[in-house]
Every structure is written in C-alpha cells, then in structure tokens.
Amino acid sequence: MAKSLMAVFFGMLFLFASYFGGQIEGRFFPVIDKTVVTHVERDIENRSLVWGHAMQLRDCSFVRLEWRIGTPAHYAAIDVVFLDVAELRPDGVFDFGPWKLHATPDQVMKRSFATVVHRCHPLWNTETVFWPMAE
C-alpha cells in the first residue's frame, strides 16, 4: 500500500512539474527581460508592424512566440508573422522586428501580452510572459 501511495504521489508531482514547471521557471528565472516595443505602425491591411528590443538573460533555444489579446485568464490568440531574419541571439540586448501582428496598434499596446517559449533543458519548455511597453 505504501509503495502504491508513493507511486501516485511521485506521478502527481511529475504531472504538476511538467505542466507548471515552465511557467514557474519563466517567472523566477526568465529567459528574456525588459522587452520594450519601440515602434508600432499600422499596415495597409489594418494590422500592426512591431519593432522593439529585449534582453536575453539565458542561453536557451527559441521554440515559439504566442501573442494574445486580453488577460491571462481570458484571451484570444493573435497570429504573428516574423518579417525579420532568423538569427541566434547571444545573451544581452537584442533588437527585433518587424513582426506583423494580426491586431490594430491600439490592441497591441493596450490590450495584449505575449509568451515566449524556450527550450533550456529536457524537463519542460520555459515560458516567459511580457506585456508590450513603450519607451
């Protein structure tokens, strides 16, 4: 009985860590920080072109960027198209953009947030959340 309870306990611990580990790690040990949107302009399709800079704190592999309108509790996904050249970013400050977001500039700056997902180790993907800030 004790072995089965231990197996259930460690199974639950593993599920908790695999589901929430990336969010917890990203909050306390973010991969990027100080993300600032330096310029947003509307394109002819009423979408936004976004430029900015951020600081990479850790050497991890980029997996994806998830941009959303709303709050972390209630949101809708925004499509993101990277128009800049793909590159490996060293630790430190880096520029980004243009990125095309399928949202208006007002939605991007006032009602959106993004989650950047990186692979730092084999346990889970690390999720760093940021809200656009103007300089």
Side-chain angles (χ1 to χ4, degrees):
M1 181 75 168
K3 287 185 180 184
S4 61
L5 286 176
M6 290 297 285
V8 168
F9 172 76
F10 283 112
M12 297 290 285
L13 184 62
F14 174 76
L15 288 174
F16 178 84
S18 62
Y19 186 78
F20 292 108
Q23 296 170 16
I24 294 168
E25 181 182 1
R27 178 169 290 182
F28 293 105
F29 303 102
V31 176
I32 62 166
D33 195 20
K34 299 182 174 109
T35 303
V36 175
V37 173
T38 57
H39 183 70
V40 180
E41 66 183 53
R42 185 182 311 248
D43 72 0
I44 60 173
E45 300 169 317
N46 202 28
R47 295 182 178 139
S48 298
L49 297 174
V50 176
W51 289 263
H53 59 79
M55 177 171 289
Q56 183 154 335
L57 304 174
R58 299 170 57 196
D59 187 21
C60 301
S61 297
F62 175 77
V63 175
R64 69 183 174 276
L65 174 69
E66 302 166 350
W67 209 297
R68 299 173 176 109
I69 293 175
T71 67
H74 186 72
Y75 60 82
I78 301 173
D79 289 333
V80 179
V81 178
F82 298 106
L83 301 176
D84 53 351
V85 177
E87 62 182 288
L88 294 174
R89 302 191 194 281
D91 291 353
V93 176
F94 65 90
D95 294 321
F96 61 82
W99 296 346
K100 182 187 283 192
L101 302 179
H102 292 231
T104 66
D106 189 57
Q107 288 174 318
V108 169
M109 293 307 295
K110 294 181 180 174
R111 298 182 45 218
S112 75
F113 66 99
T115 301
V116 187
V117 180
H118 290 87
R119 189 74 171 164
C120 300
H121 49 72
L123 297 176
W124 52 71
N125 287 336
T126 304
E127 300 177 12
T128 306
V129 177
F130 73 86
W131 284 261
M133 297 176 11
E135 282 188 306

